[in-house]
Amino acid sequence: MSFVSVRNVWQRYGRRPILERVNLSVDKGEFLSIVGASGCGKSTFLRMLLAEETPWKGDIRIDGGAPAVEPNRERGVVFQRYSVFAHLSVRDNLIAAESFSRPLGRLRGAARAEAAARADAMLDRIGLAHVARQFPAALSGGMQQRLAIGQALTAKPRILLLDEPFGALDPGTRLQMHEFLMELRAETQMTVFMVTHDLHEGFKLGDRVLVFDKPRWDPDDPDLVGATITYDFDTSAGGIPFQDLLDRYPSLRAT
Ligand SMILES: Nc1ncnc2c1ncn2[C@@H]1O[C@H](COP(=O)(O)OP(=O)(O)O)[C@@H](O)[C@H]1O
Ligand SMILES: [Mg+2]
């Protein structure tokens, strides 16, 4: 049985269909890149995996069960805009992430000391030990995004959801983040869903590249149908069909 299974999922806001007939089976440890025109429902799809919203119709299963409502235990999330807390030091950002993932709220005593030790280990892992006492505003964009990823990984989630995580970074920093992410992934065997605007990034990092698009198009009523997965490419097969993709989906022109 697949680790993440999405069966005939539909979503709509009000009466407007956003997604329809979305079907997907994902194995544990797979890295899926998700591309598609702006506004087609990619973030909506991630929010359903996060259980932040429930599908209008259909069924999502993670390891055989419904996605848990509390964040972080099973899924970590990183958005394009840094989700770190400006008023906390780098180290306290990691400790705070851990207390949010616990139902009992704030950590005290021995539990806090253990959380602090784990935060220090994570600081080493994400290369931020030397700035542990600084505040996020003092860090570069890449460092802030490493901190956000460190936060998401603090609870050792089995699934990492990345919503255009590197879009705000300069090209050099983005390449460093790619290496960092691939290292983390090799260590943890996480299952990753990454939405990206950048086709090259999607093909480079993903085991599969999914395109979300509307299966039909009515010029008189563009909102008539929702988007679905219209393309599911296995990158291990080699040979990247960039031109084919760009011809079929002009809105995907890589940035
Ligand atoms: N909570 C909401 N209520 C109503 N409309 C929404 C809501 N969230 C997103 N939308 C609309 O749904 C569509 C899909 O949004 P989104 O999933 O954010 O697209 P993407 O991430 O692919 O750019 C957009 O047209 C957006 O304006
Ligand atoms: Mg989005």
Side-chain angles (χ1 to χ4, degrees):
M1 197 185 58
S2 53
F3 180 53
V4 178
S5 135
V6 177
R7 277 175 293 186
N8 195 25
V9 161
W10 298 57
Q11 184 61 308
R12 60 180 187 177
Y13 295 128
R15 292 172 56 192
R16 188 173 154 221
I18 304 296
L19 293 169
E20 62 177 55
R21 298 187 187 89
V22 178
N23 287 287
L24 183 65
S25 290
V26 181
D27 288 336
K28 203 169 174 58
E30 271 194 299
F31 190 128
L32 274 77
S33 296
I34 298 175
V35 299
S38 180
C40 74
K42 303 179 298 295
S43 296
T44 300
F45 182 66
L46 292 192
R47 284 196 299 273
M48 289 192 294
L49 288 174
L50 254 180
E52 273 185 10
E53 44 184 87
T54 42
W56 171 46
K57 289 198 280 192
D59 188 41
I60 296 179
R61 301 263 142 192
I62 295 177
D63 212 4
V69 175
E70 68 272 18
N72 267 19
R73 265 288 150 234
E74 119 190 315
R75 290 136 306 160
V77 209
V78 180
F79 298 103
Q80 171 167 0
R81 285 219 214 101
Y82 315 127
S83 51
V84 298
F85 303 109
H87 64 289
L88 294 180
S89 71
V90 167
R91 185 166 181 265
D92 285 344
N93 259 283
L94 293 176
I95 296 172
E98 187 149 356
S99 52
F100 290 143
S101 69
R102 266 152 218 274
L104 294 177
R106 289 179 63 85
L107 293 164
R108 292 197 175 78
R112 186 178 165 86
E114 284 168 23
R118 280 192 293 272
D120 288 335
M122 181 60 78
L123 283 171
D124 280 332
R125 184 67 209 78
I126 60 180
L128 297 182
H130 63 297
V131 291
R133 288 162 184 276
Q134 293 188 27
F135 288 87
L139 309 184
S140 69
M143 289 164 104
Q144 290 193 35
Q145 202 57 321
R146 288 214 299 274
L147 178 57
I149 292 175
Q151 272 188 333
L153 296 181
T154 291
K156 298 205 185 337
R158 295 182 298 167
I159 301 179
L160 182 63
L161 300 171
L162 302 166
D163 199 349
E164 303 188 20
F166 310 135
L169 304 176
D170 64 74
T173 308
R174 201 187 276 213
L175 286 180
Q176 288 172 11
M177 295 301 295
H178 289 172
E179 282 173 28
F180 172 61
L181 184 58
M182 295 322 271
E183 280 169 30
L184 283 179
R185 191 203 163 194
E187 281 170 25
T188 60
Q189 278 113 43
M190 282 180 297
T191 304
V192 184
F193 291 83
M194 179 186 73
V195 173
T196 177
H197 263 121
D198 181 342
L199 265 189
H200 290 272
E201 181 172 271
F203 277 100
K204 175 179 170 188
L205 299 181
D207 300 314
R208 289 158 71 184
V209 177
L210 309 179
V211 178
F212 278 69
D213 192 25
K214 289 181 194 280
R216 303 182 299 290
W217 183 259
D218 180 344
D220 295 326
D221 190 356
D223 281 344
L224 193 64
V225 295
T228 192
I229 297 170
T230 54
Y231 192 93
D232 182 346
F233 185 80
D234 178 355
T235 62
S236 68
I240 297 175
F242 271 126
Q243 202 51 51
D244 177 38
L245 260 181
L246 292 175
D247 290 346
R248 285 166 64 174
Y249 305 101
S251 60
L252 292 181
R253 291 205 177 276
T255 48

